[in-house]
Amino acid sequence: MTSNAHGTTTPTNHACAALPAESVLVAPAPPRAVPLRPPDGAWGLVVVAVRTTDAAGAPVRLTGDAPAPDPALTDTTDLLAGVWLPAPPPSALHTGDVVVRLLAPADDDPAVADVEVVAATQSGWTTVRTWQAMGTRWPHEVAMSALVHMRYLADIAFKDAQWATLTGPIAAALPPGLLTAGLAGESRGRASPAAPSRATRMPSPS
């Protein structure tokens, strides 16, 4: 926290200090600072930081929970930053990256933008979701989708790394057949997970 001469305290945002120097902060930002078109020569804004507010609630919502807040009226993110890319990089080398693209709407209204969130996979850049004719509150609309998809891709990358470790140096050091037998025994001895007592709904990452 920092204090001014009048004793008013202001929270400091250490996360912002850790962002790349070329980062563009679209939340928090005054409406006039939120872009509705990319700069000349830019293809999209690769997300480097996103953080939702308490008001957004958890990405997993249970039956009986309060409805999700309307991002058009509620600040559901207090940090969304990215770096402008001049062109789509090779997706296979950037698997897991999430990019926000600002596109002109059909009527070319400068006050709104069509906002597309895309993600890099081994097979190419895939559209996660598109919002039509969004105003300057678009960062609050896209933040949860970007966050959920980034977590989803991070989980996949972590599991792939675990499997590569098991089938790589560690497996090579084990006696032949030991790893296969161990995994088979674990599968036979593992109890089936109990069904959840309440239905859950996860925002789709695709």
Side-chain angles (χ1 to χ4, degrees):
M1 304 288 285
T2 59
S3 300
N4 59 22
H6 302 286
T8 302
T9 58
T10 303
T12 55
N13 195 334
H14 299 292
C16 291
L19 297 177
E22 64 272 27
S23 296
V24 175
L25 193 67
V26 295
R32 65 180 181 279
V34 177
L36 292 173
R37 298 289 188 277
D40 290 341
W43 169 72
L45 187 75
V46 60
V47 178
V48 297
V50 58
R51 182 178 61 210
T52 56
T53 65
D54 291 341
V60 177
R61 308 191 71 82
L62 303 176
T63 302
D65 285 352
D70 183 355
L73 304 173
T74 304
D75 288 350
T76 55
T77 180
D78 63 359
L79 178 61
L80 182 61
V83 174
W84 289 110
L85 299 177
S91 63
L93 301 179
H94 291 264
T95 299
D97 280 354
V98 171
V99 169
V100 175
R101 301 195 64 211
L102 301 176
L103 310 171
D107 61 359
D108 205 24
D109 182 354
V112 296
D114 291 346
V115 183
E116 180 186 28
V117 172
V118 298
T121 66
Q122 288 292 321
S123 58
W125 288 91
T126 303
T127 299
V128 175
R129 186 175 171 185
T130 302
W131 291 259
Q132 303 291 329
M134 300 300 301
T136 56
R137 288 194 61 81
W138 67 258
H140 301 284
E141 297 279 356
V142 309
M144 186 61 79
S145 288
L147 178 61
V148 169
H149 208 77
M150 290 168 74
R151 287 177 175 173
Y152 167 75
L153 295 172
D155 286 344
I156 291 177
F158 180 67
K159 290 175 182 177
D160 287 347
Q162 285 182 313
W163 182 246
T165 301
L166 286 173
T167 58
I170 292 179
L174 296 175
L178 180 60
L179 179 62
T180 303
L183 291 178
E186 181 187 26
S187 177
R188 287 194 300 268
R190 182 180 299 166
S192 298
S197 57
R198 295 194 292 170
T200 60
R201 179 172 60 83
M202 170 71 79
S204 173
S206 59

